[in-house]
Amino acid sequence: MTDKPQAAADFSHRWTVAGIAAATVAVAGAALAWHGHAHAFGPVPQGPGLRQQVDPEVRDKRIEALTALRLAEINATPEQTSRIAAIMKVAASELAPVREQLQALQHRSAQLLAAPTIDRAQLEALRVQRQQLRETASRRMSQARADAAEVLTPEQRAGLAERRLRRHGRG
């Protein structure tokens, strides 16, 4: 005759171990999938926060590859793809100094937070500067997206919007 509480504990322990094993496999699979996806368009720069400086040539190749990938979904012409990639490269180039400024502000914030005395006024000033820079970047990217959209037909724009919603779980 088996001890019921012991059998229940063994059963519960097995499910716990199985759950941990499944979670480990899922996390490892997700990490490997992300690693493979992230490197599909060249090496990913590493570093804290906003990452390290990106070589403009590597950045431009990434933009070309991602633009071609997204626009292939809507049967964009090679001319459309080329024009849109050019628009995005110009925007990325113009935003490179903004990105560097954001990195410097993030570094300065980290220094302030590590200081023996916390300077809240300085931290707030840095936060405001970061928000202003993010607004600048957002405005420029909105302009680039609108410029790119004008290259496409209304049907192609609708197709891109539909795919974007689907990718983000809203379609």
Coordinates of all heavy atoms in Angstrom, one line a residue, residues 112-160:
L112 N 26.2 60.1 -12.1 CA 25.5 60.8 -11.1 C 24.9 59.9 -10.1 O 24.9 60.2 -8.8 CB 24.4 61.8 -11.6 CG 24.9 63.0 -12.4 CD1 23.8 63.7 -13.1 CD2 25.6 64.0 -11.4
L113 N 24.3 58.8 -10.5 CA 23.7 57.8 -9.6 C 24.7 57.1 -8.8 O 24.3 56.5 -7.8 CB 22.7 56.9 -10.4 CG 21.5 57.6 -11.0 CD1 20.8 56.6 -12.0 CD2 20.6 58.0 -9.9
A114 N 25.9 57.0 -9.3 CA 26.9 56.3 -8.6 C 27.7 57.2 -7.6 O 28.5 56.7 -6.8 CB 27.9 55.6 -9.6
A115 N 27.4 58.5 -7.7 CA 28.1 59.4 -6.8 C 27.8 59.2 -5.3 O 26.7 58.7 -5.0 CB 27.8 60.9 -7.3
P116 N 28.6 59.7 -4.5 CA 28.3 59.6 -3.0 C 27.1 60.3 -2.6 O 26.3 59.9 -1.8 CB 29.6 60.2 -2.3 CG 30.7 60.1 -3.4 CD 30.0 60.2 -4.7
T117 N 26.9 61.5 -3.3 CA 25.7 62.3 -3.0 C 24.9 62.4 -4.3 O 25.4 62.7 -5.4 CB 26.1 63.7 -2.6 OG1 26.9 63.6 -1.4 CG2 24.8 64.5 -2.2
I118 N 23.6 62.1 -4.2 CA 22.7 62.1 -5.4 C 22.3 63.6 -5.7 O 21.7 64.2 -4.8 CB 21.5 61.2 -5.2 CG1 21.9 59.8 -4.9 CG2 20.6 61.3 -6.4 CD1 22.7 59.1 -6.0
D119 N 22.6 64.1 -6.9 CA 22.2 65.4 -7.3 C 20.9 65.3 -8.1 O 20.9 65.1 -9.3 CB 23.3 66.0 -8.1 CG 23.1 67.5 -8.5 OD1 21.9 67.9 -8.4 OD2 24.0 68.2 -8.9
R120 N 19.8 65.4 -7.4 CA 18.5 65.2 -8.1 C 18.2 66.3 -9.1 O 17.6 66.0 -10.1 CB 17.4 65.2 -7.0 CG 17.4 64.0 -6.1 CD 16.4 64.1 -5.0 NE 16.5 62.9 -4.2 CZ 15.8 61.8 -4.4 NH1 15.0 61.7 -5.4 NH2 15.9 60.8 -3.5
A121 N 18.7 67.5 -8.9 CA 18.4 68.6 -9.8 C 19.2 68.3 -11.1 O 18.6 68.5 -12.2 CB 18.9 69.9 -9.3
Q122 N 20.4 67.8 -11.0 CA 21.2 67.5 -12.2 C 20.6 66.3 -13.0 O 20.5 66.3 -14.2 CB 22.6 67.2 -11.9 CG 23.5 67.0 -13.0 CD 23.7 68.2 -13.9 OE1 23.5 69.3 -13.5 NE2 24.0 68.0 -15.2
L123 N 20.1 65.3 -12.2 CA 19.4 64.1 -12.8 C 18.2 64.6 -13.6 O 17.9 64.1 -14.7 CB 19.1 63.1 -11.8 CG 20.2 62.2 -11.3 CD1 19.8 61.5 -10.0 CD2 20.7 61.3 -12.4
E124 N 17.4 65.5 -13.0 CA 16.2 66.0 -13.6 C 16.6 66.8 -14.9 O 15.9 66.6 -15.9 CB 15.4 66.9 -12.7 CG 14.2 67.5 -13.3 CD 13.2 66.5 -13.8 OE1 13.2 65.3 -13.5 OE2 12.3 66.9 -14.6
A125 N 17.6 67.5 -14.8 CA 18.0 68.3 -16.0 C 18.5 67.3 -17.2 O 18.1 67.6 -18.3 CB 19.2 69.2 -15.7
L126 N 19.1 66.3 -16.8 CA 19.5 65.3 -17.8 C 18.3 64.6 -18.4 O 18.2 64.3 -19.6 CB 20.5 64.2 -17.2 CG 21.9 64.8 -16.8 CD1 22.7 63.7 -16.2 CD2 22.6 65.3 -18.1
R127 N 17.3 64.3 -17.5 CA 16.1 63.6 -18.0 C 15.4 64.5 -19.0 O 15.0 64.1 -20.1 CB 15.2 63.4 -16.8 CG 13.9 62.6 -17.2 CD 12.8 62.6 -16.1 NE 12.3 64.0 -16.0 CZ 11.4 64.6 -16.8 NH1 11.0 63.9 -17.8 NH2 10.9 65.8 -16.5
V128 N 15.3 65.8 -18.7 CA 14.7 66.8 -19.6 C 15.4 66.8 -21.0 O 14.8 66.8 -22.0 CB 14.6 68.2 -19.0 CG1 14.2 69.2 -20.0 CG2 13.6 68.1 -17.8
Q129 N 16.8 66.8 -20.9 CA 17.6 66.8 -22.1 C 17.3 65.6 -22.9 O 17.2 65.6 -24.2 CB 19.1 67.0 -21.8 CG 19.5 68.3 -21.3 CD 20.9 68.3 -20.9 OE1 21.5 67.3 -20.6 NE2 21.5 69.5 -21.0
R130 N 17.3 64.4 -22.3 CA 17.0 63.2 -23.0 C 15.6 63.2 -23.7 O 15.5 62.8 -24.8 CB 17.1 62.0 -22.0 CG 18.5 61.6 -21.7 CD 18.6 60.2 -21.0 NE 17.6 60.0 -19.9 CZ 17.9 60.2 -18.6 NH1 19.1 60.7 -18.3 NH2 17.0 60.0 -17.7
Q131 N 14.6 63.7 -23.0 CA 13.3 63.8 -23.6 C 13.3 64.7 -24.8 O 12.6 64.4 -25.8 CB 12.3 64.3 -22.5 CG 11.9 63.2 -21.5 CD 11.4 62.0 -22.1 OE1 12.0 61.0 -22.1 NE2 10.2 62.0 -22.6
Q132 N 14.0 65.8 -24.7 CA 14.1 66.7 -25.9 C 14.8 66.0 -27.1 O 14.3 66.2 -28.2 CB 14.8 68.0 -25.5 CG 14.1 68.9 -24.5 CD 14.9 70.0 -24.0 OE1 16.1 70.0 -24.0 NE2 14.2 71.0 -23.4
L133 N 15.8 65.3 -26.8 CA 16.5 64.6 -27.9 C 15.6 63.5 -28.4 O 15.6 63.3 -29.7 CB 17.8 64.0 -27.4 CG 18.9 65.0 -27.1 CD1 20.1 64.4 -26.4 CD2 19.4 65.7 -28.4
R134 N 14.9 62.8 -27.6 CA 14.0 61.7 -28.1 C 12.9 62.3 -28.9 O 12.5 61.7 -29.9 CB 13.4 61.0 -26.9 CG 14.4 60.0 -26.2 CD 13.8 59.3 -25.1 NE 14.8 58.5 -24.4 CZ 15.0 58.4 -23.1 NH1 14.3 59.2 -22.3 NH2 15.9 57.6 -22.6
E135 N 12.4 63.5 -28.5 CA 11.4 64.2 -29.3 C 12.0 64.6 -30.7 O 11.3 64.4 -31.7 CB 10.9 65.4 -28.6 CG 9.9 66.3 -29.4 CD 8.6 65.6 -29.8 OE1 8.3 64.6 -29.1 OE2 8.0 66.0 -30.8
T136 N 13.2 65.0 -30.7 CA 13.9 65.4 -32.0 C 13.9 64.1 -32.9 O 13.6 64.2 -34.1 CB 15.3 65.9 -31.8 OG1 15.2 67.1 -31.0 CG2 16.0 66.2 -33.0
A137 N 14.4 63.0 -32.3 CA 14.5 61.8 -33.1 C 13.1 61.3 -33.5 O 13.0 60.8 -34.7 CB 15.2 60.7 -32.2
S138 N 12.1 61.4 -32.7 CA 10.8 60.9 -33.1 C 10.2 61.8 -34.2 O 9.6 61.2 -35.2 CB 9.9 61.0 -31.8 OG 8.5 60.7 -32.2
R139 N 10.4 63.1 -34.1 CA 10.0 64.0 -35.2 C 10.6 63.6 -36.5 O 10.0 63.5 -37.6 CB 10.2 65.4 -34.8 CG 9.6 66.4 -35.7 CD 9.8 67.9 -35.2 NE 9.7 68.1 -33.8 CZ 10.6 68.4 -32.9 NH1 11.9 68.5 -33.3 NH2 10.4 68.5 -31.6
R140 N 12.0 63.4 -36.5 CA 12.7 63.1 -37.7 C 12.3 61.7 -38.3 O 12.1 61.6 -39.5 CB 14.2 63.1 -37.4 CG 15.0 62.8 -38.7 CD 14.8 63.8 -39.8 NE 15.5 63.5 -41.0 CZ 15.0 62.9 -42.1 NH1 13.7 62.6 -42.1 NH2 15.8 62.7 -43.1
M141 N 12.1 60.8 -37.4 CA 11.6 59.4 -37.9 C 10.2 59.5 -38.5 O 9.9 58.8 -39.5 CB 11.8 58.4 -36.8 CG 13.2 58.0 -36.6 SD 14.2 57.6 -38.1 CE 13.2 56.2 -38.7
S142 N 9.4 60.3 -37.9 CA 8.0 60.4 -38.4 C 8.1 61.0 -39.8 O 7.3 60.6 -40.7 CB 7.1 61.3 -37.5 OG 6.9 60.6 -36.3
Q143 N 8.9 62.0 -40.0 CA 9.1 62.6 -41.3 C 9.6 61.6 -42.3 O 9.1 61.6 -43.4 CB 10.1 63.8 -41.2 CG 10.4 64.5 -42.5 CD 11.5 65.5 -42.4 OE1 12.0 65.8 -41.3 NE2 11.9 66.0 -43.5
A144 N 10.6 60.8 -41.9 CA 11.2 59.8 -42.8 C 10.1 58.8 -43.2 O 10.0 58.4 -44.4 CB 12.4 59.1 -42.2
R145 N 9.3 58.3 -42.2 CA 8.2 57.4 -42.5 C 7.2 58.0 -43.5 O 6.7 57.3 -44.4 CB 7.6 56.9 -41.2 CG 8.4 55.9 -40.5 CD 7.6 55.2 -39.4 NE 7.3 56.1 -38.3 CZ 8.1 56.3 -37.2 NH1 9.3 55.7 -37.2 NH2 7.8 57.1 -36.3
A146 N 6.9 59.2 -43.3 CA 5.9 59.9 -44.2 C 6.5 60.0 -45.6 O 5.9 59.8 -46.6 CB 5.5 61.3 -43.7
D147 N 7.8 60.4 -45.7 CA 8.5 60.5 -47.0 C 8.5 59.1 -47.7 O 8.2 59.0 -48.9 CB 9.9 61.0 -46.8 CG 10.0 62.4 -46.4 OD1 9.0 63.1 -46.4 OD2 11.1 62.8 -45.9
A148 N 8.8 58.1 -46.9 CA 8.8 56.7 -47.5 C 7.4 56.3 -47.9 O 7.3 55.7 -49.0 CB 9.4 55.7 -46.4
A149 N 6.4 56.6 -47.1 CA 5.0 56.2 -47.5 C 4.6 56.9 -48.8 O 3.9 56.2 -49.6 CB 4.1 56.6 -46.4
E150 N 5.1 58.1 -49.1 CA 4.7 58.7 -50.3 C 5.3 58.0 -51.6 O 4.8 58.2 -52.7 CB 5.2 60.2 -50.3 CG 4.3 61.0 -49.4 CD 4.8 62.5 -49.3 OE1 5.9 62.8 -49.7 OE2 3.9 63.3 -48.9
V151 N 6.3 57.2 -51.4 CA 6.9 56.5 -52.5 C 6.0 55.3 -52.9 O 6.0 54.8 -54.0 CB 8.3 56.0 -52.1 CG1 8.9 55.1 -53.1 CG2 9.3 57.2 -51.8
L152 N 5.3 54.8 -51.9 CA 4.4 53.6 -52.1 C 3.0 54.0 -52.6 O 2.6 55.1 -52.4 CB 4.3 52.8 -50.8 CG 5.6 52.3 -50.2 CD1 5.3 51.8 -48.8 CD2 6.3 51.3 -51.1
T153 N 2.4 53.0 -53.2 CA 1.0 53.2 -53.6 C 0.1 53.1 -52.4 O 0.5 52.5 -51.4 CB 0.6 52.1 -54.7 OG1 0.5 50.8 -54.0 CG2 1.5 52.1 -55.9
P154 N -1.1 53.6 -52.5 CA -2.1 53.4 -51.3 C -2.2 51.9 -51.0 O -2.3 51.6 -49.8 CB -3.4 54.0 -51.8 CG -2.9 55.0 -52.8 CD -1.7 54.4 -53.5
E155 N -2.3 51.0 -52.0 CA -2.5 49.6 -51.7 C -1.3 49.0 -51.0 O -1.4 48.2 -50.0 CB -2.7 48.8 -53.0 CG -4.0 49.2 -53.7 CD -3.9 50.5 -54.5 OE1 -2.8 50.9 -54.8 OE2 -5.0 51.0 -54.8
Q156 N -0.1 49.4 -51.4 CA 1.1 49.0 -50.7 C 1.2 49.5 -49.2 O 1.6 48.7 -48.3 CB 2.4 49.4 -51.5 CG 2.6 48.7 -52.8 CD 3.7 49.3 -53.6 OE1 3.8 50.5 -53.7 NE2 4.5 48.5 -54.3
R157 N 0.8 50.7 -49.0 CA 0.8 51.3 -47.7 C -0.2 50.5 -46.8 O 0.1 50.2 -45.6 CB 0.4 52.8 -47.7 CG 1.5 53.6 -48.3 CD 1.3 55.1 -48.0 NE 0.1 55.6 -48.5 CZ -0.1 56.2 -49.7 NH1 1.0 56.4 -50.5 NH2 -1.2 56.7 -50.1
A158 N -1.3 50.2 -47.4 CA -2.3 49.4 -46.6 C -1.8 48.0 -46.3 O -2.0 47.5 -45.2 CB -3.6 49.3 -47.4
G159 N -1.1 47.4 -47.2 CA -0.5 46.1 -47.0 C 0.6 46.1 -45.9 O 0.6 45.3 -45.0
L160 N 1.4 47.2 -45.9 CA 2.4 47.3 -44.8 C 1.7 47.5 -43.5 O 2.1 46.9 -42.5 CB 3.3 48.5 -45.1 CG 4.6 48.3 -45.9 CD1 5.4 49.5 -46.1 CD2 5.4 47.2 -45.4

